[in-house]
Amino acid sequence: MFTSLFQHIEKFIILEPSEIDILKSCLGLSTIKKKTLVLQEGQVCNTMYFIIKGCMRQYIINSKGSEQTLQFGIENWWITDYLSYHNHTPSHFYIQAIENCEVIAIEKPILESLLIQIPKLERYFRIVSQKSFGAAQMRIKFLFTMSAEERYHHFNDMNPEFVQRVPQYMLASYLDFSAEFMSKIRAGKI
Amino acid sequence: MFTSLFQHIEKFIILEPSEIDILKSCLGLSTIKKKTLVLQEGQVCNTMYFIIKGCMRQYIINSKGSEQTLQFGIENWWITDYLSYHNHTPSHFYIQAIENCEVIAIEKPILESLLIQIPKLERYFRIVSQKSFGAAQMRIKFLFTMSAEERYHHFNDMNPEFVQRVPQYMLASYLDFSAEFMSKIRAGKI
DNA sequence: TAAAAAACTTGAAGTACTTCAAGAAATACG
DNA sequence: CGTATTTCTTGAAGTACTTCAAGTTTTTTA
């Protein structure tokens, strides 16, 4: 049931059986239907989501009223708005399921009490978030140094299976170009 | 001597006197001269730098041979390449002092032993890196939604004092436009 | 299984930037 | 203090994209 989370945790730390029991007793499984918003702009984000199955995204609505995807999350990823979560400030983002999902949704008070009961989990979340920050830095590097076409091919090469899972227009906005331009790249008309 | 680091840590956790002693005994102060590179592309990054005084930056050299700044760090910031640090892989980045700096440079083995002796520090680094990741998400949002001119004015409004500290061409590349274009924005010629 | 909704494609016209080149101004340094 | 180095400015020409509008294809849902 929660095996994928335990497997993920045990990549970084080793849990005692008693700690596993505590953790299990605090976790719950949720199902989220495709297109459901679990966070909207303006709300304070009080939940972290660990994706067991499915795909989610974090996006914004820009000044022209169109959506731009900032982040995708798939199996074994945590997704949340860390700034809103930590500062108790209204979020700038939407978080949405783009497939039917199974997730572990942990509310802040529960997570805080877990971190007190199982201090080792601090280490787990530290390593995960440091790696995420490193990945964000690489993402900015790619955005800065590659042309639209290069970003598309690079992403395709690195994540061939993932490209099939999401609508092209979401991927286009994630790579920071228009859906129309993506269509032309794919057709080889550039 | 290390007061700024202790003050920063104590924003997030409370240290026992004994823990403060342990920490002090493991830390050292370094002076870095302006323009010194503490990390070069291709090297494995084994050090985290806490900036006590001065300003540093993380940058890349793009395919045309010019520098693009990805990140600045000033007083009370940690700077490192987390991906290279965690995965022991060659870095994609340069890290350089752009003012004469005083830093606390912690080597990975020392930090690892500190984290074992003072597990509370895991919490400190978790919170710091989650907030950094949140800030990186906001940065991507700004890059996606604002024009060059908007990014310049927004940054200026948010960090008026900082803009004076770094050469314009470094700030231009951080905001992802050319130094020439920045010059024209500033002159009001756009 | 039909109808509606969502996603993708195409071409034409426009624009927000970049690049280049050269000179001027500011800053650092022996 | 004067010279070298670094940083900033300006205009002209070019380009990598965007926007718009309309049609086509694919997927979802009743």
Side-chain angles (χ1 to χ4, degrees):
Chain A
M1 186 170 168
F2 302 133
T3 45
S4 59
L5 177 56
F6 284 110
Q7 278 171 17
H8 193 249
I9 291 175
E10 287 176 349
K11 280 184 188 172
F12 303 107
I13 57 172
I14 297 163
L15 291 172
E16 309 291 324
S18 66
E19 292 170 332
I20 293 179
D21 289 343
I22 294 170
L23 195 46
K24 273 187 181 155
S25 74
C26 292
L27 298 179
L29 208 67
S30 313
T31 301
I32 308 176
K33 256 184 111 173
K34 188 171 172 170
K35 292 192 188 174
T36 306
L37 290 166
V38 297
L39 178 70
Q40 287 189 256
E41 190 181 350
Q43 294 177 343
V44 174
C45 180
N46 259 311
T47 314
M48 288 186 59
Y49 299 91
F50 181 81
I51 304 171
I52 292 174
K53 181 119 196 43
C55 183
M56 301 180 77
R57 67 167 177 152
Q58 183 187 52
Y59 70 94
I60 52 166
I61 297 186
N62 68 21
S63 54
K64 281 159 211 141
S66 55
E67 297 171 359
Q68 292 192 264
T69 299
L70 298 189
Q71 191 88 50
F72 291 108
I74 56 171
E75 287 80 9
N76 295 324
W77 285 55
W78 287 96
I79 196 162
T80 191
D81 175 353
Y82 284 105
L83 229 47
S84 172
Y85 182 95
H86 276 290
N87 301 340
H88 264 280
T89 49
S91 177
H92 291 79
F93 307 114
Y94 297 82
I95 297 180
Q96 182 189 45
I98 54 181
E99 295 174 355
N100 292 325
C101 289
E102 270 179 55
V103 304
I104 298 170
I106 312 190
E107 300 297 315
K108 192 168 177 173
I110 293 178
L111 183 52
E112 276 303 317
S113 88
L114 269 172
L115 289 166
I116 289 164
Q117 291 176 79
I118 314 173
K120 250 182 245 173
L121 285 178
E122 295 280 6
R123 181 176 178 86
Y124 166 68
F125 283 109
R126 171 184 65 86
I127 296 173
V128 165
S129 63
Q130 285 183 343
K131 286 188 163 215
S132 301
F133 181 68
Q137 289 182 149
M138 284 300 289
R139 175 150 152 67
I140 292 173
K141 171 184 163 153
F142 295 139
L143 288 169
F144 276 20
T145 55
M146 293 180 179
S147 69
E149 200 186 353
E150 286 168 339
R151 293 197 298 277
Y152 172 73
H153 289 306
H154 180 256
F155 191 89
N156 236 328
D157 292 348
M158 303 293 276
N159 313 278
E161 77 306 330
F162 179 75
V163 174
Q164 313 300 333
R165 280 176 80 167
V166 298
Q168 279 178 41
Y169 73 90
M170 286 187 195
L171 184 54
S173 75
Y174 177 79
L175 296 174
D176 201 22
F177 47 74
S178 67
E180 293 90 337
F181 196 66
M182 178 137 173
S183 202
K184 286 163 196 171
I185 292 170
R186 285 165 51 90
K189 299 195 177 167
I190 297 299
Chain B
M1 186 172 170
F2 302 132
T3 45
S4 58
L5 177 57
F6 284 109
Q7 277 172 20
H8 193 249
I9 290 174
E10 287 176 350
K11 281 184 187 171
F12 304 107
I13 59 171
I14 297 164
L15 291 171
E16 310 290 326
S18 65
E19 291 169 333
I20 293 179
D21 289 341
I22 294 170
L23 196 45
K24 273 186 181 156
S25 73
C26 292
L27 298 179
L29 208 66
S30 314
T31 300
I32 308 177
K33 255 184 113 175
K34 187 171 172 171
K35 293 193 187 172
T36 305
L37 290 166
V38 297
L39 178 70
Q40 286 188 256
E41 189 181 350
Q43 294 177 341
V44 173
C45 179
N46 259 312
T47 314
M48 288 186 59
Y49 299 91
F50 181 81
I51 303 171
I52 292 175
K53 179 118 197 44
C55 184
M56 302 180 77
R57 66 166 176 152
Q58 182 187 54
Y59 70 95
I60 53 166
I61 296 186
N62 67 21
S63 53
K64 281 158 211 142
S66 54
E67 297 171 0
Q68 291 192 265
T69 299
L70 297 188
Q71 191 87 50
F72 291 108
I74 57 170
E75 287 80 8
N76 295 323
W77 285 55
W78 287 96
I79 195 163
T80 191
D81 175 352
Y82 285 106
L83 230 46
S84 172
Y85 182 93
H86 276 290
N87 301 340
H88 264 280
T89 48
S91 177
H92 290 79
F93 307 115
Y94 296 82
I95 297 180
Q96 183 190 44
I98 54 181
E99 296 173 355
N100 292 324
C101 289
E102 270 179 56
V103 305
I104 298 171
I106 312 190
E107 299 296 315
K108 193 168 177 174
I110 293 179
L111 183 53
E112 276 304 317
S113 88
L114 271 172
L115 290 166
I116 289 164
Q117 291 177 76
I118 314 173
K120 253 181 244 171
L121 285 178
E122 296 280 4
R123 182 176 178 87
Y124 166 68
F125 284 108
R126 171 184 64 86
I127 296 172
V128 165
S129 63
Q130 285 181 343
K131 286 188 164 216
S132 300
F133 181 68
Q137 288 182 151
M138 284 302 288
R139 175 151 151 68
I140 292 172
K141 170 184 163 152
F142 294 140
L143 288 169
F144 275 20
T145 56
M146 293 180 179
S147 70
E149 200 186 353
E150 286 168 339
R151 292 198 298 278
Y152 172 73
H153 289 306
H154 180 256
F155 190 89
N156 235 329
D157 292 348
M158 304 293 277
N159 313 278
E161 77 304 329
F162 180 75
V163 174
Q164 313 300 333
R165 279 176 80 167
V166 297
Q168 279 178 39
Y169 72 91
M170 285 187 196
L171 183 54
S173 74
Y174 176 80
L175 295 173
D176 201 21
F177 47 74
S178 68
E180 293 91 337
F181 196 66
M182 177 135 172
S183 202
K184 285 162 195 171
I185 292 171
R186 285 165 51 90
K189 300 195 176 166
I190 296 299

